[in-house]
Amino acid sequence: MTVTITYEGAIAVVTIDNPPVNALSQALRQALMEAVFTTEANETVSAVVLACAGRTFIAGADVNEFGKPPVPPHLPEVVTGIERAKKPWIAAIHGSALGGGLEVALGCAYRVAAASANLGLPEVKLGIVPGAGGTVRLPRLIGVPAAVELVTGGNTIGAGKARELGLVDAVVEGDLLSATVGFAREASQRPQPQPISERSVPMVEDDFWSRTEKAVAAKARGEVAPLRALACIQMASEADFFTASAFERETFLDLRGSAQAAALRHVFFAERAAPRPPELAGVVPRHIRSAAVIGGGTMGAGIVAALRDAGLPVVLVERDAAAVERGLANVNQIFQGSVKRGRISADVAAERMRGVIGTDDYGALADTDLVIEAVFEDLAVKRAVFAQLSKACRADAVLTTNTSYLDPDEIGEGLAQPERFLGLHFFSPAHVMKLLEIVPTETTAPDALATGFALARLLGKIPVRAGICDGFVGNRILKVTRAQAERLLLSGATPAAVDAAMRAFGMPMGPFEAQDLGGLDIAAFQRKAARERGETPFAPVGDLLVSIGRIGQKSNGGWYDYQPGDRTPQLSNAVATVIAEVAARRPQQTWDKTAIADAIILPMVNEATRILEEGIALRAADIDLVEIHGYGFPRWRGGLMHYAQARGLREIVSVLDRLSSKGLSDPACDGLRQAADQEHPS
Ligand code: 3H9
């Protein structure tokens, strides 16, 4: 870490160089304080530009320090030091000014940003609130509603939007540093602006706080930081700067040590570690300069869109001209949807479509680097595709199959150069969902596997390596979720009670609502296949509903009834009758929300432990990422395995023992019992 001071005439340029993201470590805070003293003491200096080396401005406090006691100088003192300097400080922002980084910039007299920069206070995403004046200065600068949106949502905004809000004073297209030095020269000739801390907070309407609190609570779904951040901004608007700053700091320190903050930090680091698994260290992936997708259905079209969003040229192969047309129309529909939602312009959508070549000729793949097969989940159909690919593609092209349930070892049987073949499991819609399960076969070479991870990086997805078993990591756990949900119905709970309990736990949707949305037919089809393999999947009610044509929203009825054109679930007498028939003569009990969540989540932990024991997942954190990014497990609980650790494995084993003694779950597996035995008493 270095902080250097250079001089452009009377302008001092303080440059921070603390790779990778100029995080505000203790050493950097100390050095910044010293830079304030040095520049204040130098009579030839009329203004100070604060710039950063490397890819970004200050990206925030150093998250690695959050588990440890805070060491002075604390960031609020540094920000105040900059704000009180007699020479105006001007922040030159490129890359990201986030969290503590933006708070430092708010201490400056002015902020100049590169057009490509982004700014924000993402602290709530780490389970905390800004701790160095963010909630107290921001409303004074940009008004309360805009500050509330930025702080409670934790999202970043671009330089243009920041200029509109008055968060930055100038946006620069060309050389940022020289433009900021020029800006500083002019600024040093003018009287300094009033420090933000001395400005007043603009008034809001009488009902603003109660209205906003409701809206923030509804979005937070159990996450505490957004509401605590809102309380800080309210305090900023109702008390003086010093009282509000003290309240903010107290809230920050309280949350910094909270279980939610620990969980969110765990996810932060797990997400950053995921693209670089240690077992692939030093393995060089193959080049991906072009891609092809076989199959233009929902999944294939989503994958094409994701590849185009990442800038790759794509060939879309279908079996005949009509299917090619349908596939291209599916892709186009995705881009048009993005235009409608304002995510991309019509020009960009057209450019993305121009980069897709549709064809029924495998000959078009002669020079393609990476092929993703995404045809119907049928072994024979998939094998036929790979027979064609074996002939058509370069010997070093990486060939992948997108499958959720089939065995990639069987799909790739007989393939030429099987070392370049692997399985992928995209989640639907593939251009939106962040998770990508990467499934090597027995013969996949390390560089082909590394190419799967490189693909995930390119697509901005979270990659998790999964071993081969029915459902890989995510869908194998999902089967337990669903089976447990049905066990609950047979022992006294209702679909609505189960769904409400899982929402209260923090899931975006309950298991029955989710099945109605996706369709009950797909899982029924998979259960049929499992029974043919001699397995005994448990879904007595689900099977009966499918047999009477209740397959979800698409049939106007599944676990719930639906009015045509309305997706609101309505309680269904027909379903209650089916449940009562299947549950007859089974012992019934009353279930509260906590007991329902336990009866679903803890058996999932049990299954996940088996998955780890079998080596299907390599790390507990990988399972956390699968659950969060594939199935909506609440991020603030840190994922399934982090939740289990935080909850206590002994307690989990004892709940599972109770459930299994009544036939309501499997008993705890050996691995879970052993881990519980080794757990320190809490
Ligand atoms: C805060 O500021 C609280 C204050 O209000 C209160 C103060 C009192 N600390 O994401 P990348 C590492 S809370 C430490 O892959 P990108 C990261 O682990 C903070 N390390 O890069 C990774 O390390 P490795 C508010 C950090 O280019 C490497 O940098 N700020 C931090 O895709 C590269 O990261 C945030 O929440 C950090 N703060 O994206 C910002 N940030 O190479 C969080 C990153 O060893 N950071 N690292 O795996 C980000 O959003 C992205 O990292 C950023 C760059 C957009 C900056």
Side-chain angles (χ1 to χ4, degrees):
M1 190 285 304
T2 58
V3 172
T4 47
I5 307 179
T6 52
Y7 297 91
E8 304 259 344
I11 308 300
V13 179
V14 173
T15 305
I16 296 170
D17 190 0
N18 188 23
V21 294
N22 293 312
L24 287 154
S25 61
Q26 190 278 337
L28 174 52
R29 298 196 298 272
Q30 181 75 46
L32 272 175
M33 277 305 239
E34 283 161 18
V36 174
F37 295 135
T38 307
T39 50
E40 285 292 274
N42 186 337
E43 284 176 5
T44 65
V45 170
S46 63
V48 182
V49 168
L50 176 63
C52 286
R55 67 212 224 211
T56 179
F57 190 73
I58 305 165
D62 188 338
V63 179
N64 295 301
E65 288 183 358
F66 280 3
K68 306 169 192 157
V71 181
H74 304 301
L75 194 58
E77 294 153 28
V78 179
V79 176
T80 303
I82 291 173
E83 190 179 52
R84 289 202 184 146
K86 288 195 289 297
K87 325 275 168 76
W89 279 54
I90 297 100
I93 298 170
H94 76 290
S96 303
L98 301 178
L102 183 56
E103 290 173 306
V104 167
L106 289 171
C108 294
Y110 299 100
R111 287 147 296 281
V112 176
S116 57
N118 58 75
L119 303 90
L121 291 171
E123 281 86 344
V124 293
K125 297 199 167 172
L126 291 168
I128 55 175
V129 298
T135 66
V136 193
R137 285 194 179 83
L138 199 60
R140 289 174 155 78
L141 187 64
I142 64 172
V144 173
V148 164
E149 195 177 326
L150 265 185
V151 177
T152 63
N155 296 319
T156 57
I157 52 171
K161 175 82 180 162
R163 178 80 189 90
E164 269 171 42
L165 290 174
L167 180 54
V168 300
D169 301 283
V171 176
V172 173
E173 289 286 351
D175 182 55
L176 176 67
L177 187 60
S178 61
T180 312
V181 168
F183 186 101
R185 274 200 191 101
E186 282 176 26
S188 64
Q189 308 299 313
R190 298 193 294 265
Q192 279 212 46
Q194 186 185 28
I196 296 174
S197 64
E198 291 173 14
R199 302 182 201 176
S200 58
V201 179
M203 303 278 282
V204 286
E205 291 156 13
D206 286 348
D207 65 343
F208 176 83
W209 296 110
S210 56
R211 220 171 359 99
T212 310
E213 192 177 317
K214 268 191 213 127
V216 172
K219 258 201 207 153
R221 279 209 302 256
E223 203 171 336
V224 299
L227 278 171
R228 300 283 297 271
L230 182 68
C232 290
I233 302 175
Q234 183 167 4
M235 182 62 93
S237 81
E238 291 169 357
D240 63 75
F241 180 82
F242 295 100
T243 309
S245 298
F247 181 79
E248 178 200 72
R249 185 77 185 164
E250 203 181 299
T251 310
F252 166 74
L253 290 174
D254 179 29
L255 290 181
R256 187 180 183 270
S258 68
Q260 289 199 4
L264 287 162
R265 274 201 303 280
H266 159 73
V267 180
F268 176 88
F269 286 116
E271 283 173 348
R272 276 156 184 85
R276 288 166 291 160
E279 59 278 11
L280 287 178
V283 180
V284 180
R286 299 187 188 184
H287 287 297
I288 315 175
R289 286 157 303 207
S290 59
V293 175
I294 318 297
T298 308
M299 203 38 126
I303 297 171
V304 171
L307 291 163
R308 285 300 299 133
D309 287 346
L312 280 180
V314 182
V315 177
L316 170 59
V317 182
E318 262 291 0
R319 57 183 181 282
D320 54 39
V324 169
E325 280 309 302
R326 276 197 303 276
L328 289 173
N330 288 341
V331 178
N332 192 37
Q333 201 180 357
I334 292 173
F335 290 133
Q336 293 314 319
S338 299
V339 172
K340 234 184 252 158
R341 286 183 198 93
R343 291 212 189 102
I344 56 173
S345 67
D347 285 350
V348 170
E351 186 275 325
R352 302 254 158 110
M353 276 314 287
R354 275 197 298 278
V356 188
I357 295 171
T359 179
D360 58 1
D361 175 12
Y362 279 77
L365 308 184
D367 197 32
T368 303
D369 290 332
L370 171 86
V371 181
I372 303 172
E373 167 276 309
V375 301
F376 185 64
E377 290 271 43
D378 179 297
L379 189 58
V381 178
K382 283 185 182 274
R383 275 193 179 154
V385 168
F386 281 100
Q388 303 242 48
L389 292 174
S390 272
K391 283 185 243 151
C393 295
R394 274 192 343 249
D396 65 340
V398 174
L399 305 184
T400 69
T401 175
N402 177 65
T403 178
S404 29
Y405 281 94
L406 295 178
D407 179 344
D409 268 325
E410 290 182 16
I411 297 171
E413 230 171 65
L415 184 73
Q417 293 87 28
E419 68 283 355
R420 42 70 180 265
F421 172 74
L422 66 147
L424 297 174
H425 179 204
F426 283 87
F427 286 67
S428 186
H431 60 293
V432 176
M433 295 291 284
K434 283 259 176 232
L435 181 63
L436 181 63
E437 285 183 320
I438 299 182
V439 192
T441 67
E442 276 175 13
T443 49
T444 303
D447 68 334
L449 181 57
T451 310
F453 280 83
L455 172 71
R457 258 198 310 279
L458 200 69
L459 303 184
K461 300 213 180 284
I462 305 279
V464 169
R465 176 186 177 143
I468 296 179
C469 65
D470 190 16
F472 309 129
V473 176
N475 280 347
R476 179 164 156 186
I477 298 174
L478 179 65
K479 275 192 287 179
V480 173
T481 316
R482 289 183 170 167
Q484 286 305 115
E486 289 217 19
R487 285 205 169 95
L488 281 162
L489 298 186
L490 302 190
S491 58
T494 62
V498 171
D499 284 341
M502 295 310 284
R503 268 188 270 109
F505 181 81
M507 303 296 291
M509 236 185 246
F512 297 114
E513 296 160 318
Q515 285 181 60
D516 273 1
L517 188 65
L520 277 66
D521 46 339
I522 303 160
F525 178 77
Q526 282 149 5
R527 286 195 297 273
K528 184 165 165 274
R531 287 192 184 104
E532 281 162 11
R533 291 195 301 266
E535 295 166 23
T536 51
F538 180 81
V541 184
D543 282 336
L544 277 176
L545 295 186
V546 173
S547 74
I548 56 173
R550 295 188 65 100
I551 58 169
Q553 290 186 9
K554 55 190 169 191
S555 69
N556 285 337
W559 291 100
Y560 298 93
D561 290 340
Y562 297 89
Q563 298 302 323
D566 182 358
R567 292 174 168 216
T568 321
Q570 317 276 349
L571 294 184
S572 166
N573 290 332
V575 172
T577 308
V578 174
I579 293 171
E581 275 166 22
V582 183
R585 289 186 299 282
R586 287 182 189 246
Q588 302 291 296
Q589 68 176 83
T590 50
W591 292 94
D592 65 19
K593 280 192 172 130
T594 312
I596 289 175
D598 275 359
I600 293 182
I601 300 289
L602 305 190
M604 288 165 65
V605 171
N606 201 29
E607 187 68 13
T609 308
R610 287 195 195 108
I611 284 174
L612 270 176
E613 278 182 312
E614 293 167 24
I616 297 294
L618 294 188
R619 283 166 285 271
D622 285 349
I623 296 178
D624 290 335
L625 294 177
V626 166
E627 287 300 313
I628 291 169
H629 289 290
Y631 302 87
F633 196 92
R635 195 180 167 85
W636 55 269
R637 291 196 189 269
L640 186 63
M641 301 312 264
H642 182 92
Y643 170 73
Q645 289 291 342
R647 173 81 183 265
L649 301 183
R650 284 169 204 264
E651 190 191 333
I652 292 178
V653 167
S654 104
V655 177
L656 284 172
D657 282 347
R658 256 199 329 271
L659 287 168
S660 68
S661 71
K662 297 185 204 162
L664 292 173
S665 80
D666 279 2
C669 66
D670 290 345
L672 192 55
R673 284 184 199 283
Q674 279 157 17
D677 287 344
Q678 284 158 16
E679 193 176 57
H680 293 296
S682 52

